Amino acid sequence: MLARLAENLFWYGRYLERSEDLARLINVTSHLNLDLPSGISAGWEPLIRITGNAPLFNDLGHPTDETHVVRFLLSEDSNPNSLKATLEYARENLRSARDLVPKDGWEQMNAVYLKSTEQLSGKLSKRRRQDFLEELILDCQQLAGMFQGTMSHDHAYDFILIGRHLERSDMITRILEVRGYDLLPETAEDLGPFESIQWMSVLKSLTGYQMYRRHVRSRVSGSDVLRFLLRDGQFPRSVMFCLLVLEDLIEHLPGDDDRSLRIVTRLQRLVNETEVKNLRGQRLVNFMDQLQIELAGTDRAIRQTWFGSES
């Protein structure tokens, strides 16, 4: 398989995962603001920080209200990380490698892109926005399932999975960094009201609420949520699960110089050995920053080894 096509599939996996994650974040934030009592809001500005778009958003001078933040994240032409742009990138990367994937998968991706572009070109009411995002989440999951069930599980498929799990682990750390900093201050006396409701929203943004209640079986608390989303090796949207998948996939690829594998195993040790109960305030931010730096290093090592790319 040509390095260029492998890279296309890698980025298709990343962009499809990013689209689903962004859709879920916006919907969960909408529900959270409805669940909180009148006069209390989780705000929309954290979504700008989670997605790493604060500098661009601030340069545009938009207020951080729901209307402007959601429009920026969904369809702002000047935002290269908008949902509209991300879906276009996913489609274009899959189109470039469509000879390696099932025809039905390419046609489904193209249909999802065209349908979403049409919806995002108009004005979405809150009700229509919720329906659109829920449908998009299902479309992304259907695409993932279609490839799992109809595509040969060879190296081409491996690169899709590597892209998906690298993107997913990065998003988990971003959510935990931003939400955790607000919800886990340096001292317990500084805890804000309705903490449990907001931690529930963190779990729901990663579709983890039901599995958390099944396995942890305690009231929703910050340290337990952190431990579950960082270390649970059986939940598909935990950092550890993603790292275990990445380790297995990278080990079986040809031509690895061990750089990416060493980083992944170092990340596993870091996640396992860190005392979660001590992650509060700036310590939590520093820890998540460290994970993100290591994940970025994994990305660079993968691209240098298999794609000959560093950009």
Side-chain angles (χ1 to χ4, degrees):
M1 180 173 52
L2 294 176
R4 175 178 53 81
L5 298 179
E7 186 171 15
N8 289 140
L9 293 172
F10 170 81
W11 281 110
Y12 163 72
R14 290 204 70 154
Y15 285 127
L16 187 70
E17 180 68 29
R18 193 176 301 179
S19 300
E20 180 183 344
D21 293 345
L22 182 54
R24 201 182 304 280
L25 265 177
I26 295 171
N27 250 6
V28 168
T29 302
S30 298
H31 291 308
L32 172 61
N33 284 317
L34 290 174
D35 291 340
L36 289 171
S38 177
I40 297 178
S41 171
W44 288 90
E45 184 272 340
L47 270 66
I48 299 295
R49 287 186 282 146
I50 288 171
T51 55
N53 289 309
L56 175 58
F57 187 85
N58 293 336
D59 287 345
L60 292 172
H62 293 323
T64 55
D65 57 19
E66 179 177 359
T67 298
H68 288 88
V69 169
V70 171
R71 185 172 61 210
F72 176 81
L73 292 175
L74 287 182
S75 58
E76 178 79 51
D77 288 337
S78 60
N79 179 13
N81 296 311
S82 70
L83 182 63
K84 182 179 178 181
T86 301
L87 287 168
E88 181 177 359
Y89 299 149
R91 173 186 179 269
E92 286 306 302
N93 277 284
L94 191 62
R95 182 187 63 80
S96 298
R98 63 185 182 275
D99 290 341
L100 297 178
V101 302
K103 181 181 178 183
D104 289 347
W106 155 245
E107 291 179 348
Q108 175 70 6
M109 180 69 244
N110 193 46
V112 169
Y113 167 75
L114 293 174
K115 178 178 63 176
S116 299
T117 300
E118 181 180 3
Q119 293 265 35
L120 291 170
S121 64
K123 187 175 181 179
L124 289 174
S125 65
K126 289 186 181 181
R127 177 72 253 180
R128 285 184 58 213
R129 183 182 80 204
Q130 178 181 329
D131 291 343
F132 161 68
L133 292 174
E134 288 177 353
E135 186 175 356
L136 177 61
I137 291 167
L138 291 176
D139 285 337
C140 291
Q141 292 175 335
Q142 183 181 36
L143 276 163
M146 181 181 293
F147 282 117
Q148 182 183 34
T150 63
M151 184 173 177
S152 295
H153 287 206
D154 54 11
H155 294 321
Y157 183 63
D158 290 343
F159 281 113
I160 294 176
L161 291 184
I162 289 171
R164 282 181 56 200
H165 286 87
L166 192 58
E167 181 69 31
R168 184 179 298 175
S169 55
D170 181 66
M171 178 59 78
I172 298 166
T173 63
R174 289 173 179 272
I175 291 172
L176 292 179
E177 177 181 352
V178 173
R179 292 297 192 189
Y181 180 76
D182 295 335
L183 293 171
L184 283 173
E186 297 289 348
T187 63
E189 290 77 11
D190 295 329
L191 284 173
F194 310 105
E195 177 199 1
S196 292
I197 294 176
Q198 296 190 63
W199 277 114
M200 285 168 57
S201 79
V202 172
L203 288 165
K204 289 177 180 177
S205 67
L206 295 165
T207 60
Y209 179 65
Q210 288 179 300
M211 292 301 101
Y212 172 90
R213 295 308 297 264
R214 177 183 168 192
H215 293 291
V216 181
R217 297 186 180 182
S218 65
R219 67 181 291 273
V220 178
S221 68
S223 59
D224 286 337
V225 171
L226 276 181
R227 190 173 292 105
F228 178 72
L229 292 176
L230 284 172
R231 290 185 179 166
D232 193 290
Q234 295 180 316
F235 177 57
R237 291 184 179 272
S238 78
V239 172
M240 182 55 69
F241 184 96
C242 293
L243 293 175
L244 291 171
V245 171
L246 286 171
E247 179 185 28
D248 182 64
L249 291 168
I250 291 170
E251 275 186 325
H252 293 92
L253 287 178
D256 185 21
D257 62 358
D258 288 338
R259 284 180 298 167
S260 51
L261 192 58
R262 286 198 304 270
I263 299 173
V264 170
T265 53
R266 185 165 66 238
L267 273 165
Q268 291 174 3
R269 288 196 302 271
L270 183 61
V271 170
N272 271 327
E273 295 171 3
T274 297
E275 191 61 65
V276 174
K277 67 181 180 181
N278 294 331
L279 293 177
R280 288 183 168 275
Q282 192 59 46
R283 282 172 293 178
L284 184 145
V285 170
N286 293 341
F287 178 70
M288 296 304 166
D289 283 345
Q290 187 178 1
L291 295 184
Q292 290 164 27
I293 290 169
E294 294 283 5
L295 288 167
T298 308
D299 172 80
R300 284 193 300 274
I302 287 169
R303 288 186 285 113
Q304 290 168 2
T305 301
W306 287 287
F307 314 145
S309 166
E310 297 187 21
S311 59

